[in-house]
Amino acid sequence: QKEVEQDPGPLSVPEGAIVSLNCTYSNSAFQYFMWYRQYSRKGPELLMYTYSSGNKEDGRFTAQVDKSSKYISLFIRDSQPSDSATYLCAMSGAGNQFYFGTGTSLTVIP
Amino acid sequence: NAGVMQNPRHLVRRRGQEARLRCSPMKGHSHVYWYRQLPEEGLKFMVYLQKENIIDESGMPKERFSAEFPKEGPSILRIQQVVRGDSAAYFCASSPPGPQNQPQHFGDGTRLSIL
């Protein structure tokens, strides 16, 4: 079983829609959770960083962590064509290794 | 540009040659990480370094691959006697000194192609 599971998509939504991206994980020791956005031919760009369970909001982005279910989500409100990218979840525990999902490809159609 | 700088952006090598990938971390960052990304496989951790020290190389292949982060200059990922299977995008990330698990900031990668 992979440490982190992420549906690769692709996901296609109309402009203005609410997007929900999700990851599940198996290691209950994970405490730090991140979402990255990666445009084609570019490096991952940090979007959200959370510790333990709960919600965190930043503009149109909301990150949720449910440690009891080992499930994390990223919501994008009022999605824009510029949000079209691959979204990667990442997480770590007490050690220094980060574990990444394979990424979900998102296209927002104008 | 205060971001993580990687060069070259693209590198082409023939089988058996050596590949050297360079990474300059963000200003003020002292932790460097190398990852390999293959299509549909996500980012795979290779090695974690601090200045002059390899902290964790559990993701590095045992042969042909090495990494360093000298006191002066960029971090180097070196691949000797490259094979076709080494073709991938290699990303470097950095994080500031202090507690572990701080978010990592990535460069735009080096795309290595083996002929």
PDB file of all heavy atoms in Angstrom, chain A residues 51-83:
ATOM      1  N   TYR A  51      -0.842  21.928  10.202  1.00  0.00           N
ATOM      2  CA  TYR A  51      -0.336  20.990  11.205  1.00  0.00           C
ATOM      3  C   TYR A  51      -1.524  20.362  11.915  1.00  0.00           C
ATOM      4  O   TYR A  51      -2.446  21.070  12.328  1.00  0.00           O
ATOM      5  CB  TYR A  51       0.557  21.704  12.218  1.00  0.00           C
ATOM      6  CG  TYR A  51       0.912  20.864  13.420  1.00  0.00           C
ATOM      7  CD1 TYR A  51       1.785  19.786  13.292  1.00  0.00           C
ATOM      8  CD2 TYR A  51       0.358  21.132  14.671  1.00  0.00           C
ATOM      9  CE1 TYR A  51       2.111  19.005  14.381  1.00  0.00           C
ATOM     10  CE2 TYR A  51       0.686  20.346  15.767  1.00  0.00           C
ATOM     11  CZ  TYR A  51       1.557  19.293  15.619  1.00  0.00           C
ATOM     12  OH  TYR A  51       1.872  18.514  16.705  1.00  0.00           O
ATOM     13  N   SER A  52      -1.540  19.041  11.986  1.00  0.00           N
ATOM     14  CA  SER A  52      -2.566  18.260  12.670  1.00  0.00           C
ATOM     15  C   SER A  52      -3.940  18.468  12.032  1.00  0.00           C
ATOM     16  O   SER A  52      -4.049  18.862  10.887  1.00  0.00           O
ATOM     17  CB  SER A  52      -2.563  18.616  14.159  1.00  0.00           C
ATOM     18  OG  SER A  52      -3.288  17.647  14.884  1.00  0.00           O
ATOM     19  N   SER A  53      -4.985  18.221  12.759  1.00  0.00           N
ATOM     20  CA  SER A  53      -6.332  18.276  12.187  1.00  0.00           C
ATOM     21  C   SER A  53      -6.872  19.698  12.158  1.00  0.00           C
ATOM     22  O   SER A  53      -6.380  20.582  12.853  1.00  0.00           O
ATOM     23  CB  SER A  53      -7.282  17.397  13.005  1.00  0.00           C
ATOM     24  OG  SER A  53      -7.070  16.046  12.739  1.00  0.00           O
ATOM     25  N   GLY A  54      -7.926  19.884  11.349  1.00  0.00           N
ATOM     26  CA  GLY A  54      -8.591  21.168  11.317  1.00  0.00           C
ATOM     27  C   GLY A  54      -8.615  21.769   9.935  1.00  0.00           C
ATOM     28  O   GLY A  54      -8.264  21.130   8.955  1.00  0.00           O
ATOM     29  N   ASN A  55      -9.070  23.013   9.881  1.00  0.00           N
ATOM     30  CA  ASN A  55      -9.211  23.743   8.626  1.00  0.00           C
ATOM     31  C   ASN A  55      -8.261  24.927   8.600  1.00  0.00           C
ATOM     32  O   ASN A  55      -7.919  25.495   9.639  1.00  0.00           O
ATOM     33  CB  ASN A  55     -10.635  24.278   8.471  1.00  0.00           C
ATOM     34  CG  ASN A  55     -11.650  23.175   8.306  1.00  0.00           C
ATOM     35  OD1 ASN A  55     -11.309  22.004   8.288  1.00  0.00           O
ATOM     36  ND2 ASN A  55     -12.902  23.552   8.205  1.00  0.00           N
ATOM     37  N   LYS A  56      -7.864  25.283   7.377  1.00  0.00           N
ATOM     38  CA  LYS A  56      -7.084  26.499   7.184  1.00  0.00           C
ATOM     39  C   LYS A  56      -7.541  27.149   5.891  1.00  0.00           C
ATOM     40  O   LYS A  56      -7.673  26.463   4.875  1.00  0.00           O
ATOM     41  CB  LYS A  56      -5.586  26.191   7.115  1.00  0.00           C
ATOM     42  CG  LYS A  56      -4.707  27.429   6.983  1.00  0.00           C
ATOM     43  CD  LYS A  56      -3.246  27.054   7.048  1.00  0.00           C
ATOM     44  CE  LYS A  56      -2.353  28.274   6.977  1.00  0.00           C
ATOM     45  NZ  LYS A  56      -0.914  27.909   7.081  1.00  0.00           N
ATOM     46  N   GLU A  57      -7.780  28.438   5.933  1.00  0.00           N
ATOM     47  CA  GLU A  57      -8.284  29.146   4.766  1.00  0.00           C
ATOM     48  C   GLU A  57      -7.292  30.223   4.342  1.00  0.00           C
ATOM     49  O   GLU A  57      -6.693  30.919   5.176  1.00  0.00           O
ATOM     50  CB  GLU A  57      -9.642  29.780   5.097  1.00  0.00           C
ATOM     51  CG  GLU A  57     -10.346  30.409   3.915  1.00  0.00           C
ATOM     52  CD  GLU A  57     -11.756  30.880   4.274  1.00  0.00           C
ATOM     53  OE1 GLU A  57     -12.425  30.199   5.074  1.00  0.00           O
ATOM     54  OE2 GLU A  57     -12.161  31.940   3.770  1.00  0.00           O
ATOM     55  N   ASP A  58      -7.129  30.356   3.013  1.00  0.00           N
ATOM     56  CA  ASP A  58      -6.267  31.397   2.468  1.00  0.00           C
ATOM     57  C   ASP A  58      -6.867  31.821   1.137  1.00  0.00           C
ATOM     58  O   ASP A  58      -6.715  31.130   0.126  1.00  0.00           O
ATOM     59  CB  ASP A  58      -4.837  30.871   2.272  1.00  0.00           C
ATOM     60  CG  ASP A  58      -3.880  31.950   1.793  1.00  0.00           C
ATOM     61  OD1 ASP A  58      -4.309  33.115   1.621  1.00  0.00           O
ATOM     62  OD2 ASP A  58      -2.694  31.637   1.581  1.00  0.00           O
ATOM     63  N   GLY A  59      -7.579  32.951   1.168  1.00  0.00           N
ATOM     64  CA  GLY A  59      -8.220  33.416  -0.052  1.00  0.00           C
ATOM     65  C   GLY A  59      -9.264  32.435  -0.547  1.00  0.00           C
ATOM     66  O   GLY A  59     -10.164  32.044   0.196  1.00  0.00           O
ATOM     67  N   ARG A  60      -9.128  32.002  -1.785  1.00  0.00           N
ATOM     68  CA  ARG A  60     -10.095  31.064  -2.361  1.00  0.00           C
ATOM     69  C   ARG A  60      -9.793  29.611  -1.989  1.00  0.00           C
ATOM     70  O   ARG A  60     -10.532  28.710  -2.375  1.00  0.00           O
ATOM     71  CB  ARG A  60     -10.091  31.212  -3.884  1.00  0.00           C
ATOM     72  CG  ARG A  60     -10.557  32.576  -4.385  1.00  0.00           C
ATOM     73  CD  ARG A  60     -10.640  32.624  -5.907  1.00  0.00           C
ATOM     74  NE  ARG A  60      -9.344  32.471  -6.545  1.00  0.00           N
ATOM     75  CZ  ARG A  60      -8.978  31.418  -7.262  1.00  0.00           C
ATOM     76  NH1 ARG A  60      -9.802  30.400  -7.436  1.00  0.00           N
ATOM     77  NH2 ARG A  60      -7.767  31.364  -7.829  1.00  0.00           N
ATOM     78  N   PHE A  61      -8.735  29.381  -1.270  1.00  0.00           N
ATOM     79  CA  PHE A  61      -8.300  28.020  -0.942  1.00  0.00           C
ATOM     80  C   PHE A  61      -8.586  27.686   0.521  1.00  0.00           C
ATOM     81  O   PHE A  61      -8.341  28.492   1.411  1.00  0.00           O
ATOM     82  CB  PHE A  61      -6.796  27.857  -1.211  1.00  0.00           C
ATOM     83  CG  PHE A  61      -6.404  28.069  -2.638  1.00  0.00           C
ATOM     84  CD1 PHE A  61      -6.037  29.322  -3.092  1.00  0.00           C
ATOM     85  CD2 PHE A  61      -6.405  27.013  -3.538  1.00  0.00           C
ATOM     86  CE1 PHE A  61      -5.681  29.520  -4.417  1.00  0.00           C
ATOM     87  CE2 PHE A  61      -6.045  27.202  -4.856  1.00  0.00           C
ATOM     88  CZ  PHE A  61      -5.688  28.462  -5.302  1.00  0.00           C
ATOM     89  N   THR A  62      -9.119  26.472   0.750  1.00  0.00           N
ATOM     90  CA  THR A  62      -9.329  25.959   2.096  1.00  0.00           C
ATOM     91  C   THR A  62      -8.760  24.548   2.170  1.00  0.00           C
ATOM     92  O   THR A  62      -9.094  23.702   1.328  1.00  0.00           O
ATOM     93  CB  THR A  62     -10.820  25.917   2.462  1.00  0.00           C
ATOM     94  OG1 THR A  62     -11.360  27.235   2.411  1.00  0.00           O
ATOM     95  CG2 THR A  62     -11.021  25.353   3.867  1.00  0.00           C
ATOM     96  N   ALA A  63      -7.919  24.325   3.156  1.00  0.00           N
ATOM     97  CA  ALA A  63      -7.365  22.989   3.397  1.00  0.00           C
ATOM     98  C   ALA A  63      -8.027  22.393   4.629  1.00  0.00           C
ATOM     99  O   ALA A  63      -8.215  23.078   5.625  1.00  0.00           O
ATOM    100  CB  ALA A  63      -5.854  23.061   3.582  1.00  0.00           C
ATOM    101  N   GLN A  64      -8.396  21.125   4.528  1.00  0.00           N
ATOM    102  CA  GLN A  64      -8.995  20.406   5.650  1.00  0.00           C
ATOM    103  C   GLN A  64      -8.192  19.152   5.920  1.00  0.00           C
ATOM    104  O   GLN A  64      -7.773  18.457   4.994  1.00  0.00           O
ATOM    105  CB  GLN A  64     -10.442  20.009   5.324  1.00  0.00           C
ATOM    106  CG  GLN A  64     -11.438  21.124   5.361  1.00  0.00           C
ATOM    107  CD  GLN A  64     -12.867  20.616   5.189  1.00  0.00           C
ATOM    108  OE1 GLN A  64     -13.100  19.440   4.922  1.00  0.00           O
ATOM    109  NE2 GLN A  64     -13.826  21.522   5.332  1.00  0.00           N
ATOM    110  N   VAL A  65      -8.016  18.849   7.210  1.00  0.00           N
ATOM    111  CA  VAL A  65      -7.329  17.636   7.615  1.00  0.00           C
ATOM    112  C   VAL A  65      -8.223  16.889   8.595  1.00  0.00           C
ATOM    113  O   VAL A  65      -8.662  17.456   9.593  1.00  0.00           O
ATOM    114  CB  VAL A  65      -5.973  17.948   8.283  1.00  0.00           C
ATOM    115  CG1 VAL A  65      -5.331  16.664   8.810  1.00  0.00           C
ATOM    116  CG2 VAL A  65      -5.038  18.650   7.310  1.00  0.00           C
ATOM    117  N   ASP A  66      -8.473  15.624   8.321  1.00  0.00           N
ATOM    118  CA  ASP A  66      -9.216  14.758   9.229  1.00  0.00           C
ATOM    119  C   ASP A  66      -8.299  13.590   9.570  1.00  0.00           C
ATOM    120  O   ASP A  66      -8.242  12.595   8.845  1.00  0.00           O
ATOM    121  CB  ASP A  66     -10.502  14.276   8.565  1.00  0.00           C
ATOM    122  CG  ASP A  66     -11.345  13.406   9.485  1.00  0.00           C
ATOM    123  OD1 ASP A  66     -10.843  12.997  10.556  1.00  0.00           O
ATOM    124  OD2 ASP A  66     -12.500  13.124   9.151  1.00  0.00           O
ATOM    125  N   LYS A  67      -7.600  13.700  10.672  1.00  0.00           N
ATOM    126  CA  LYS A  67      -6.629  12.662  11.029  1.00  0.00           C
ATOM    127  C   LYS A  67      -7.314  11.361  11.419  1.00  0.00           C
ATOM    128  O   LYS A  67      -6.745  10.281  11.241  1.00  0.00           O
ATOM    129  CB  LYS A  67      -5.719  13.148  12.155  1.00  0.00           C
ATOM    130  CG  LYS A  67      -4.744  14.241  11.737  1.00  0.00           C
ATOM    131  CD  LYS A  67      -3.701  14.520  12.805  1.00  0.00           C
ATOM    132  CE  LYS A  67      -2.734  13.370  12.937  1.00  0.00           C
ATOM    133  NZ  LYS A  67      -1.700  13.627  13.973  1.00  0.00           N
ATOM    134  N   SER A  68      -8.516  11.450  11.966  1.00  0.00           N
ATOM    135  CA  SER A  68      -9.199  10.217  12.366  1.00  0.00           C
ATOM    136  C   SER A  68      -9.523   9.348  11.154  1.00  0.00           C
ATOM    137  O   SER A  68      -9.517   8.121  11.229  1.00  0.00           O
ATOM    138  CB  SER A  68     -10.469  10.545  13.153  1.00  0.00           C
ATOM    139  OG  SER A  68     -11.382  11.259  12.335  1.00  0.00           O
ATOM    140  N   SER A  69      -9.786   9.987  10.021  1.00  0.00           N
ATOM    141  CA  SER A  69     -10.090   9.253   8.791  1.00  0.00           C
ATOM    142  C   SER A  69      -8.876   9.140   7.883  1.00  0.00           C
ATOM    143  O   SER A  69      -8.970   8.517   6.811  1.00  0.00           O
ATOM    144  CB  SER A  69     -11.220   9.950   8.021  1.00  0.00           C
ATOM    145  OG  SER A  69     -12.384  10.026   8.815  1.00  0.00           O
ATOM    146  N   LYS A  70      -7.773   9.778   8.244  1.00  0.00           N
ATOM    147  CA  LYS A  70      -6.562   9.818   7.422  1.00  0.00           C
ATOM    148  C   LYS A  70      -6.909  10.353   6.032  1.00  0.00           C
ATOM    149  O   LYS A  70      -6.637   9.717   4.993  1.00  0.00           O
ATOM    150  CB  LYS A  70      -5.897   8.449   7.331  1.00  0.00           C
ATOM    151  CG  LYS A  70      -5.417   7.896   8.683  1.00  0.00           C
ATOM    152  CD  LYS A  70      -4.557   6.668   8.469  1.00  0.00           C
ATOM    153  CE  LYS A  70      -4.068   6.086   9.762  1.00  0.00           C
ATOM    154  NZ  LYS A  70      -5.158   5.505  10.575  1.00  0.00           N
ATOM    155  N   TYR A  71      -7.478  11.535   6.014  1.00  0.00           N
ATOM    156  CA  TYR A  71      -8.052  12.105   4.795  1.00  0.00           C
ATOM    157  C   TYR A  71      -7.822  13.604   4.819  1.00  0.00           C
ATOM    158  O   TYR A  71      -8.099  14.265   5.821  1.00  0.00           O
ATOM    159  CB  TYR A  71      -9.555  11.796   4.810  1.00  0.00           C
ATOM    160  CG  TYR A  71     -10.320  12.119   3.566  1.00  0.00           C
ATOM    161  CD1 TYR A  71     -10.428  11.191   2.537  1.00  0.00           C
ATOM    162  CD2 TYR A  71     -10.976  13.336   3.423  1.00  0.00           C
ATOM    163  CE1 TYR A  71     -11.156  11.464   1.400  1.00  0.00           C
ATOM    164  CE2 TYR A  71     -11.715  13.622   2.292  1.00  0.00           C
ATOM    165  CZ  TYR A  71     -11.809  12.682   1.286  1.00  0.00           C
ATOM    166  OH  TYR A  71     -12.540  12.957   0.162  1.00  0.00           O
ATOM    167  N   ILE A  72      -7.270  14.130   3.716  1.00  0.00           N
ATOM    168  CA  ILE A  72      -7.099  15.571   3.629  1.00  0.00           C
ATOM    169  C   ILE A  72      -7.727  16.072   2.340  1.00  0.00           C
ATOM    170  O   ILE A  72      -7.828  15.322   1.341  1.00  0.00           O
ATOM    171  CB  ILE A  72      -5.614  16.005   3.708  1.00  0.00           C
ATOM    172  CG1 ILE A  72      -4.830  15.570   2.460  1.00  0.00           C
ATOM    173  CG2 ILE A  72      -4.963  15.437   4.967  1.00  0.00           C
ATOM    174  CD1 ILE A  72      -3.419  16.178   2.414  1.00  0.00           C
ATOM    175  N   SER A  73      -8.157  17.331   2.365  1.00  0.00           N
ATOM    176  CA  SER A  73      -8.843  17.913   1.212  1.00  0.00           C
ATOM    177  C   SER A  73      -8.339  19.322   0.957  1.00  0.00           C
ATOM    178  O   SER A  73      -7.914  20.022   1.883  1.00  0.00           O
ATOM    179  CB  SER A  73     -10.357  17.971   1.462  1.00  0.00           C
ATOM    180  OG  SER A  73     -10.893  16.695   1.679  1.00  0.00           O
ATOM    181  N   LEU A  74      -8.435  19.722  -0.289  1.00  0.00           N
ATOM    182  CA  LEU A  74      -8.204  21.103  -0.690  1.00  0.00           C
ATOM    183  C   LEU A  74      -9.428  21.546  -1.492  1.00  0.00           C
ATOM    184  O   LEU A  74      -9.810  20.874  -2.464  1.00  0.00           O
ATOM    185  CB  LEU A  74      -6.948  21.239  -1.555  1.00  0.00           C
ATOM    186  CG  LEU A  74      -6.672  22.661  -2.058  1.00  0.00           C
ATOM    187  CD1 LEU A  74      -6.244  23.570  -0.909  1.00  0.00           C
ATOM    188  CD2 LEU A  74      -5.593  22.659  -3.152  1.00  0.00           C
ATOM    189  N   PHE A  75     -10.033  22.650  -1.059  1.00  0.00           N
ATOM    190  CA  PHE A  75     -11.170  23.212  -1.774  1.00  0.00           C
ATOM    191  C   PHE A  75     -10.742  24.515  -2.440  1.00  0.00           C
ATOM    192  O   PHE A  75     -10.065  25.337  -1.830  1.00  0.00           O
ATOM    193  CB  PHE A  75     -12.341  23.476  -0.822  1.00  0.00           C
ATOM    194  CG  PHE A  75     -12.879  22.231  -0.188  1.00  0.00           C
ATOM    195  CD1 PHE A  75     -12.447  21.845   1.070  1.00  0.00           C
ATOM    196  CD2 PHE A  75     -13.814  21.441  -0.837  1.00  0.00           C
ATOM    197  CE1 PHE A  75     -12.920  20.687   1.667  1.00  0.00           C
ATOM    198  CE2 PHE A  75     -14.298  20.284  -0.250  1.00  0.00           C
ATOM    199  CZ  PHE A  75     -13.850  19.909   1.007  1.00  0.00           C
ATOM    200  N   ILE A  76     -11.157  24.665  -3.678  1.00  0.00           N
ATOM    201  CA  ILE A  76     -10.895  25.894  -4.411  1.00  0.00           C
ATOM    202  C   ILE A  76     -12.252  26.503  -4.772  1.00  0.00           C
ATOM    203  O   ILE A  76     -13.044  25.878  -5.492  1.00  0.00           O
ATOM    204  CB  ILE A  76     -10.088  25.650  -5.702  1.00  0.00           C
ATOM    205  CG1 ILE A  76      -8.811  24.856  -5.409  1.00  0.00           C
ATOM    206  CG2 ILE A  76      -9.750  26.988  -6.378  1.00  0.00           C
ATOM    207  CD1 ILE A  76      -8.042  24.454  -6.664  1.00  0.00           C
ATOM    208  N   ARG A  77     -12.515  27.697  -4.252  1.00  0.00           N
ATOM    209  CA  ARG A  77     -13.780  28.384  -4.554  1.00  0.00           C
ATOM    210  C   ARG A  77     -13.598  29.272  -5.770  1.00  0.00           C
ATOM    211  O   ARG A  77     -12.498  29.759  -6.051  1.00  0.00           O
ATOM    212  CB  ARG A  77     -14.217  29.236  -3.365  1.00  0.00           C
ATOM    213  CG  ARG A  77     -14.653  28.457  -2.152  1.00  0.00           C
ATOM    214  CD  ARG A  77     -15.151  29.428  -1.066  1.00  0.00           C
ATOM    215  NE  ARG A  77     -14.113  30.344  -0.641  1.00  0.00           N
ATOM    216  CZ  ARG A  77     -13.150  30.027   0.208  1.00  0.00           C
ATOM    217  NH1 ARG A  77     -13.084  28.810   0.705  1.00  0.00           N
ATOM    218  NH2 ARG A  77     -12.251  30.924   0.546  1.00  0.00           N
ATOM    219  N   ASP A  78     -14.710  29.508  -6.484  1.00  0.00           N
ATOM    220  CA  ASP A  78     -14.693  30.421  -7.630  1.00  0.00           C
ATOM    221  C   ASP A  78     -13.481  30.114  -8.522  1.00  0.00           C
ATOM    222  O   ASP A  78     -12.627  30.964  -8.782  1.00  0.00           O
ATOM    223  CB  ASP A  78     -14.635  31.878  -7.148  1.00  0.00           C
ATOM    224  CG  ASP A  78     -14.776  32.876  -8.270  1.00  0.00           C
ATOM    225  OD1 ASP A  78     -15.390  32.516  -9.307  1.00  0.00           O
ATOM    226  OD2 ASP A  78     -14.260  34.002  -8.127  1.00  0.00           O
ATOM    227  N   SER A  79     -13.400  28.885  -8.968  1.00  0.00           N
ATOM    228  CA  SER A  79     -12.233  28.439  -9.728  1.00  0.00           C
ATOM    229  C   SER A  79     -12.051  29.264 -11.010  1.00  0.00           C
ATOM    230  O   SER A  79     -13.029  29.703 -11.641  1.00  0.00           O
ATOM    231  CB  SER A  79     -12.344  26.951 -10.070  1.00  0.00           C
ATOM    232  OG  SER A  79     -13.543  26.687 -10.769  1.00  0.00           O
ATOM    233  N   GLN A  80     -10.782  29.494 -11.359  1.00  0.00           N
ATOM    234  CA  GLN A  80     -10.398  30.314 -12.496  1.00  0.00           C
ATOM    235  C   GLN A  80      -9.574  29.473 -13.487  1.00  0.00           C
ATOM    236  O   GLN A  80      -8.916  28.502 -13.083  1.00  0.00           O
ATOM    237  CB  GLN A  80      -9.555  31.498 -12.035  1.00  0.00           C
ATOM    238  CG  GLN A  80     -10.236  32.376 -10.998  1.00  0.00           C
ATOM    239  CD  GLN A  80     -11.445  33.076 -11.574  1.00  0.00           C
ATOM    240  OE1 GLN A  80     -11.363  33.683 -12.637  1.00  0.00           O
ATOM    241  NE2 GLN A  80     -12.572  32.983 -10.885  1.00  0.00           N
ATOM    242  N   PRO A  81      -9.580  29.858 -14.755  1.00  0.00           N
ATOM    243  CA  PRO A  81      -8.723  29.117 -15.712  1.00  0.00           C
ATOM    244  C   PRO A  81      -7.262  29.063 -15.285  1.00  0.00           C
ATOM    245  O   PRO A  81      -6.576  28.069 -15.561  1.00  0.00           O
ATOM    246  CB  PRO A  81      -8.905  29.915 -17.007  1.00  0.00           C
ATOM    247  CG  PRO A  81     -10.285  30.494 -16.895  1.00  0.00           C
ATOM    248  CD  PRO A  81     -10.447  30.833 -15.433  1.00  0.00           C
ATOM    249  N   SER A  82      -6.803  30.090 -14.568  1.00  0.00           N
ATOM    250  CA  SER A  82      -5.413  30.102 -14.106  1.00  0.00           C
ATOM    251  C   SER A  82      -5.155  29.060 -13.008  1.00  0.00           C
ATOM    252  O   SER A  82      -3.994  28.802 -12.664  1.00  0.00           O
ATOM    253  CB  SER A  82      -5.038  31.487 -13.577  1.00  0.00           C
ATOM    254  OG  SER A  82      -5.899  31.861 -12.526  1.00  0.00           O
ATOM    255  N   ASP A  83      -6.224  28.469 -12.470  1.00  0.00           N
ATOM    256  CA  ASP A  83      -6.058  27.390 -11.489  1.00  0.00           C
ATOM    257  C   ASP A  83      -5.752  26.056 -12.171  1.00  0.00           C
ATOM    258  O   ASP A  83      -5.463  25.060 -11.488  1.00  0.00           O
ATOM    259  CB  ASP A  83      -7.326  27.225 -10.643  1.00  0.00           C
ATOM    260  CG  ASP A  83      -7.608  28.431  -9.764  1.00  0.00           C
ATOM    261  OD1 ASP A  83      -6.653  29.103  -9.330  1.00  0.00           O
ATOM    262  OD2 ASP A  83      -8.807  28.701  -9.513  1.00  0.00           O
TER     263      ASP A  83
END
